[in-house]
Amino acid sequence: GGADVGGLSVEEARGIVRSEVVAPLSRPVTVSFRDRKYRLTPKQLRQRADVDGMLDEAVEVSRDGGIVTRLGRYVSGSEVDADVEARVSYDDEAVDRFVEKLGDELSPTPGRDGLAVRAERMRDRIIEQVESPVGERTLRAGVRRIEPEVTTKELAKEYPTYVTIDRANFTLRLFKKLKLVKKYTIAVGQVGYDTPEGEYSIQSKQVNPYWYVPDSDWAGDLAGTVVPPGPDNPLQARWMGIFDGAGIHGTNEPGSIGTAASHGCIRMLIPEVIELYDKVEVGTPVYIG
C-alpha cells in the first residue's frame, strides 16, 4: 500500500501500517458527476485491513533464505527487496449496489439523447480505489452518451392522437402530440360485463349508428335483432368501435355517467361523444387500463 516498513521492528511497522494503510481507508470513495457527488463509505463497504496478516507476511519475507543467506545479508548490509500486498477486505456486493444506484441516478432521459454509466469500467475503478490506500479516492463518473430507441418527436409523429380510458376513475382522456387536450367523464362495463383492459384502436366510426343486438341473454327479446337510430337505440349520436362489438358511444341515460353501468361499452354524454368523434380517426390507439 505504499508504506515502507523496511528495517523496522514489528511494533514500529505496525504504527506505519496503521497511519499509512489503515487510516486512509477510513475515507469514502467519492464519485463526482457535474455538480453532484456520490459517496461510498467504509461502513457501507464493511472495509477492513488485516494489519497482523500483513506484518506476519513482511516478517516471513524478510527471513527469506537459509541461515547462511541471512547471515551473509547481515554481514554485507544488503536487504530483501520485496513488496507485500495490502490486505484489505470489503463487501463486493456493496460496490455492485453503489454502481447500480449510480446508474439509476444518471438514468437516460426518455425520448432524448441521454447518459448511461459505464458500469463495468466504473466498478473496476472503484475497486481499485477501495483496495488501495494511496490516492485521492475521488473519481469522475464514467458515462457514455446513448440515443433513445424512439424519440419524443418520432412518437408524436407516429401517434398524433390517442385515447386512454381509466376505468377506475371513469375518465376518458384525449391526447394530441403527446399532450392532454381534453378529459371526459364516462360510464364503463358493469360487474360481469367489464370493459376489458388492454391496447386497442378505433376500428370503425358511424354517425347515428344501427345497433346490432348481441345474441345474449341480457338482451332479452331484442337479442339478435337490429335497432335503427332513434330514441330506443342505446347507441346515441355516434359510434366508435374498438373491440369485439364494444365501442364508445353516446347514451340516452346521462345518469349512468360516472358509474359501471354498460355491458362493456364506453358511454359518453351526447354532446361530448360528438365532440370526440370529430377529433379522432379510424386507427387511433385506445389504451384501456
Side-chain angles (χ1 to χ4, degrees):
D4 185 2
V5 295
L8 303 180
S9 68
V10 170
E11 285 308 310
E12 289 171 334
R14 188 185 302 279
I16 293 293
V17 170
R18 288 196 180 282
S19 64
E20 296 186 18
V21 178
V22 179
L25 296 177
S26 65
R27 294 179 293 139
V29 175
T30 301
V31 177
S32 63
F33 177 74
R34 293 178 179 168
D35 60 344
R36 289 174 284 176
K37 294 185 185 298
Y38 306 90
R39 289 181 173 83
L40 180 59
T41 67
K43 183 177 180 181
Q44 291 171 303
L45 283 165
R46 298 178 186 172
Q47 201 166 15
R48 297 287 185 273
D50 181 8
V51 177
D52 289 337
M54 286 186 276
L55 293 174
D56 288 346
E57 186 176 351
V59 169
E60 185 175 345
V61 169
S62 72
R63 293 173 176 169
D64 183 50
I67 185 64
V68 175
T69 302
R70 288 159 57 192
L71 182 60
R73 283 203 301 266
Y74 176 75
V75 171
S76 64
S78 62
E79 299 177 346
V80 176
D81 184 11
D83 289 330
V84 175
E85 285 191 15
R87 296 189 181 186
V88 179
S89 64
Y90 57 91
D91 183 357
D92 263 343
E93 293 182 359
V95 178
D96 293 336
R97 288 192 295 270
F98 179 76
V99 173
E100 184 177 351
K101 182 180 178 182
L102 189 64
D104 292 340
E105 290 287 336
L106 304 182
S107 58
T109 303
R112 296 183 299 184
D113 284 0
L115 299 174
V117 171
R118 297 182 184 275
E120 287 300 318
R121 180 179 174 187
M122 199 73 252
R123 185 181 187 278
D124 291 343
R125 292 179 64 197
I126 289 171
I127 287 176
E128 184 179 324
Q129 291 294 313
V130 168
E131 292 181 348
S132 173
V134 180
E136 296 297 320
R137 294 173 75 87
T138 301
L139 302 170
R140 291 182 62 82
V143 298
R144 60 188 174 89
R145 187 169 297 278
I146 58 173
E147 296 180 356
E149 293 182 6
V150 180
T151 66
T152 303
K153 185 177 180 180
E154 289 170 338
L155 189 63
K157 183 178 180 180
E158 182 71 19
Y159 301 106
T161 302
Y162 66 90
V163 171
T164 67
I165 294 169
D166 180 352
R167 295 175 300 173
N169 294 295
F170 308 106
T171 302
L172 183 150
R173 292 178 174 86
L174 173 66
F175 292 83
K176 294 281 188 180
K177 295 182 179 179
L178 307 185
K179 295 182 179 180
L180 177 66
V181 295
K182 195 67 182 282
K183 292 196 299 186
Y184 302 95
T185 302
I186 58 173
V188 297
Q190 60 189 272
V191 176
Y193 299 98
D194 304 85
T195 302
E197 67 178 349
E199 297 178 14
Y200 305 94
S201 65
I202 294 177
Q203 299 174 351
S204 63
K205 294 177 65 181
Q206 295 178 47
V207 175
N208 297 322
Y210 283 77
W211 181 33
Y212 295 87
V213 186
D215 192 9
S216 301
D217 291 342
W218 63 263
D221 294 339
L222 292 174
T225 65
V226 179
V227 179
D232 295 329
N233 188 331
L235 312 183
Q236 290 291 304
R238 302 290 186 271
W239 167 262
M240 289 160 274
I242 53 178
F243 67 92
D244 194 24
I248 303 168
H249 61 82
T251 181
N252 52 14
E253 297 181 43
S256 68
I257 299 299
T259 70
S262 77
H263 290 89
C265 284
I266 308 299
R267 295 181 183 177
M268 298 181 68
L269 295 174
I270 291 175
E272 294 186 346
V273 79
I274 292 173
E275 179 182 88
L276 178 67
Y277 186 93
D278 293 336
K279 294 179 182 297
V280 298
E281 303 292 338
V282 170
T284 296
V286 178
Y287 174 75
I288 302 176

